[in-house]
């Protein structure tokens, strides 16, 4: 069996200029640092191609080619079938609101959409608002004993009127990975679609929308080492059937443009190329000589191995304390969790602990992280909510040790 190559952390950290500010950054689920290469792509577009697409002149053609390069990079990033299956937008929240709006003509009073109570509000609120047009919204509850979404709990909620099941790939509090392919198979067997919020998954693992058989799949680029922007994958035949959000003459064939009113932000979309360039380099450093997609997969294999080491370092410390409750699994297995770890210290206010950690120039966060329904369901809203340490691959074991040493002083 081939050993997973380790990351060259000196190289990795050199690609993120924001790491040079004297802070240990463990609030990455709120937003990762941006790659130097992504910023360079933004600047290149603004300085060299900053015109509207669609013109006959060479510079406009160059701008259009850059946008297509961005869609192609995103296609490789998620393993879509074609670049036109990529929709860019301001944020995951905005893209999911747009998707709900673009589906309205397909929905009739009495149709059903199922959401979970473990998602970020971005993948609940837009669907819940469809009750105004007569859609019935049902909640698939997290199992309080296992802290997992169980298909046995989904089954009785589904009927012949169920049109969509909306679910998160990873909870941004629990850190647990949901088996999207198993859920997709279950949902598709009952003639419904699946919409996945992957904001908390995409920074950590290789996304493969074909393997997942996701119908819609959304995440934010600013959580995946890019600028404050987002993308949505949709199966092409489904994107064709959505209502236009643009001008009336953007018809069925205008995919994905009809879902990007006012056109995408070209320079931020172009930054996607910088993300894929970086992942390809990591894949090459891991020994992969294949195509772009193969390099991305090799990069994430190295990333997930390093992140499992980070998770275990922190979890072993938290497990050893008799005054700490980890919210979610305490196992660091990368197949079942990402390095987003939420916990509480008995009898201590999370707000005050967070402020004390600030004094050590270490950035963590407390609260409900816009997963308020889950926090309320698990009775985690009091005393500042939960503490969350969210790591990514540019973090180090030494940084974990710095954090745990700070906890020892504070507690």
């Amino acid at each position: 069996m081939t050993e997973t190559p380790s990351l060259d952390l000196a190289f990795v950290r050199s690609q993120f200029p924001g790491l040079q500010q004297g802070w240990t950054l463990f609030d990455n689920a709120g937003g990762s640092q941006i790659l130097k290469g992504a910023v360079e792509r933004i600047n290149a577009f603004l300085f060299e191609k900053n015109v509207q697409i669609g013109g006959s002149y060479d510079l406009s053609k160059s701008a259009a080619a850059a946008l297509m390069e961005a869609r192609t990079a995103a296609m490789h990033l998620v393993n879509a079938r074609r670049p036109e299956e990529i929709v860019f937008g301001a944020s995951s929240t905005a893209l999911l609101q747009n998707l709900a709006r673009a589906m309205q003509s397909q929905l009739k009073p009495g149709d059903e959409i199922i959401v979970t109570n473990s998602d970020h509000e971005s993948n609940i609120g837009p669907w819940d608002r469809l009750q105004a047009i007569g859609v019935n919204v049902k909640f698939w509850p997290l199992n309080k004993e296992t802290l997992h979404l169980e298909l046995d709990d989904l089954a009785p909620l589904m009927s012949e009127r169920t049109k969509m099941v909306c679910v998160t790939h990873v909870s941004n509090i629990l850190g647990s990975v949901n088996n999207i392919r198993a859920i997709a198979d279950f949902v598709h067997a009952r003639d419904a679609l699946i919409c996945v919020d992957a904001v908390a998954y995409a920074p950590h693992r290789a996304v493969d929308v074909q393997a997942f058989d996701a119908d819609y799949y959304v995440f934010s680029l600013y959580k995946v080492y890019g600028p404050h922007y987002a993308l949505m994958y949709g199966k092409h035949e489904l994107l064709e059937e959505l209502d236009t959000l643009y001008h009336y003459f953007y018809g069925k064939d205008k995919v994905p443009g009809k879902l990007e009113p006012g056109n995408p932000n070209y320079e931020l979309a172009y930054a996607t190329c910088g993300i894929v360039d970086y992942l390809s380099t990591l894949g090459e450093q891991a020994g992969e000589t294949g195509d772009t997609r193969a390099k991305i997969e090799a990069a994430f294999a190295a990333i997930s191995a390093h992140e499992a080491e980070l998770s275990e370092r922190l979890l072993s410390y938290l497990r050893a304390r008799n005054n700490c409750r980890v919210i979610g699994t305490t196992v660091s297995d990368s197949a079942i969790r990402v390095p987003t770890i939420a916990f509480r210290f008995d009898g201590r206010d999370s707000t005050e602990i967070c402020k004390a950690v600030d004094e050590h120039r270490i950035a963590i966060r407390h609260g409900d992280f816009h997963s308020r329904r889950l926090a309320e369901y698990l009775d985690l809203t009091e005393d500042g909510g939960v503490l969350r340490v969210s790591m990514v691959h540019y973090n180090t074991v030494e940084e974990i040790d710095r954090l745990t040493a700070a906890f020892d002083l504070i507690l």
Side-chain angles (χ1 to χ4, degrees), residues 9 21 68 73 107 136 160 258 345 357:
L9 281 176
Q21 301 179 80
M68 180 52 73
L107 299 171
N136 293 327
E160 68 279 358
K258 70 177 185 178
F345 292 112
V357 171

Side-chain angles (χ1 to χ4, degrees), residues 26-53:
F26 286 141
D27 188 25
N28 297 289
S32 67
Q33 291 300 295
I34 190 170
L35 281 159
K36 179 168 56 176
V39 176
E40 289 169 350
R41 289 284 190 154
I42 293 169
N43 289 342
F45 190 96
L46 290 173
F47 292 151
E48 301 167 13
K49 314 170 194 294
N50 193 28
V51 298
Q52 182 60 280
I53 65 172

Side-chain angles (χ1 to χ4, degrees), residues 282-353:
L282 292 188
E284 290 167 1
Q285 291 177 349
E288 178 56 59
T289 59
D291 60 14
T292 298
R293 179 63 196 178
K295 291 174 182 176
I296 290 171
E297 291 176 355
F300 275 108
I303 284 170
S304 63
H306 175 64
E307 289 183 345
E309 182 182 1
L310 297 177
S311 293
E312 179 55 28
R313 191 72 161 204
L314 179 57
L315 286 169
S316 64
Y317 170 84
L318 298 176
R319 289 193 303 260
R321 296 195 67 98
N322 60 12
N323 65 340
C324 180
R325 173 191 172 197
V326 175
I327 314 303
T329 179
T330 61
V331 177
S332 59
D333 184 349
S334 61
I336 61 175
R337 75 135 52 244
V338 301
T340 298
I341 300 172
F343 51 96
R344 295 182 74 154
F345 292 112
D346 297 343
R348 300 298 296 268
D349 186 279
S350 295
T351 307
E352 295 308 314
I353 291 177

Side-chain angles (χ1 to χ4, degrees), residues 251-265:
K252 176 178 178 178
D253 60 327
K254 275 283 203 177
V255 171
K258 70 177 185 178
L259 302 169
E260 299 171 328
N263 291 335
N265 182 309

Side-chain angles (χ1 to χ4, degrees), residues 117-118 140-144 147-149 153 174 374 377-378:
N117 64 353
S118 64
W140 177 11
L142 186 80
N143 184 301
K144 282 189 175 181
L147 292 184
H148 291 139
L149 292 169
D153 295 324
L174 302 172
L374 176 59
Y377 182 66
L378 298 178

Side-chain angles (χ1 to χ4, degrees), residues 88-297:
F88 287 112
S91 64
S92 294
T93 299
L95 284 168
L96 287 161
Q97 289 177 355
N98 284 348
L99 177 60
R101 190 154 56 99
M103 284 188 67
Q104 286 195 26
S105 71
Q106 300 178 32
L107 299 171
K108 300 179 179 63
D111 284 346
E112 299 167 354
I113 291 179
I114 296 172
V115 299
T116 85
N117 64 353
S118 64
D119 275 49
H120 188 286
E121 190 63 20
S122 293
N123 203 26
I124 301 174
W127 310 109
D128 194 39
R129 293 185 197 107
L130 292 177
Q131 293 192 75
I133 63 169
V135 173
N136 293 327
V137 175
K138 299 179 176 179
F139 278 84
W140 177 11
L142 186 80
N143 184 301
K144 282 189 175 181
E145 296 299 318
T146 65
L147 292 184
H148 291 139
L149 292 169
E150 307 287 357
L151 291 177
D152 286 347
D153 295 324
L154 175 60
L157 298 175
M158 298 196 70
S159 76
E160 68 279 358
R161 298 298 299 271
T162 304
K163 300 301 180 183
M164 179 95 86
V165 174
C166 305
V167 65
T168 186
H169 204 149
V170 164
S171 163
N172 72 342
I173 290 180
L174 302 172
S176 51
V177 180
N178 290 318
N179 187 336
I180 293 301
R181 181 54 191 253
I183 298 171
D185 288 346
F186 188 90
V187 167
H188 290 152
R190 289 154 180 80
D191 298 321
L193 303 177
I194 183 171
C195 174
V196 182
D197 171 2
V199 168
Y201 179 89
H204 306 290
R205 305 288 182 267
V207 170
D208 190 339
V209 293
Q210 293 188 64
F212 303 151
D213 200 16
D215 298 303
Y216 298 104
Y217 197 90
V218 183
F219 61 88
S220 299
L221 292 173
Y222 71 96
K223 311 287 178 80
V224 193
Y225 320 116
H228 204 289
Y229 210 46
L231 67 82
M232 178 178 76
Y233 158 82
K235 291 179 179 175
H236 195 268
E237 64 273 19
L238 297 177
L239 296 180
E240 286 184 318
E241 297 305 316
L242 294 174
D243 303 340
T244 182
L245 301 177
Y246 211 164
H247 305 308
Y248 75 92
F249 46 83
Y250 274 64
K252 176 178 178 178
D253 60 327
K254 275 283 203 177
V255 171
K258 70 177 185 178
L259 302 169
E260 299 171 328
N263 291 335
N265 182 309
Y266 303 138
E267 64 269 22
L268 298 188
Y270 195 48
T272 310
C273 301
I275 300 170
V276 170
D277 289 344
Y278 167 72
L279 292 170
S280 295
T281 298
L282 292 188
E284 290 167 1
Q285 291 177 349
E288 178 56 59
T289 59
D291 60 14
T292 298
R293 179 63 196 178
K295 291 174 182 176
I296 290 171
E297 291 176 355

Side-chain angles (χ1 to χ4, degrees), residues 7-14 16 19-20 23-26 28 303 305-315 339 362 389-405:
L7 289 173
D8 180 348
L9 281 176
F11 169 79
V12 165
R13 290 179 67 85
S14 74
F16 295 91
L19 297 178
Q20 313 308 316
W23 278 83
T24 294
L25 299 174
F26 286 141
N28 297 289
I303 284 170
H306 175 64
E307 289 183 345
E309 182 182 1
L310 297 177
S311 293
E312 179 55 28
R313 191 72 161 204
L314 179 57
L315 286 169
I362 300 173
V389 175
S390 52
M391 301 165 281
V392 291
H393 70 286
Y394 53 61
N395 290 124
T396 67
V397 168
E398 292 73 22
E399 288 180 319
I400 300 291
D401 292 344
R402 195 175 306 145
L403 173 64
T404 56

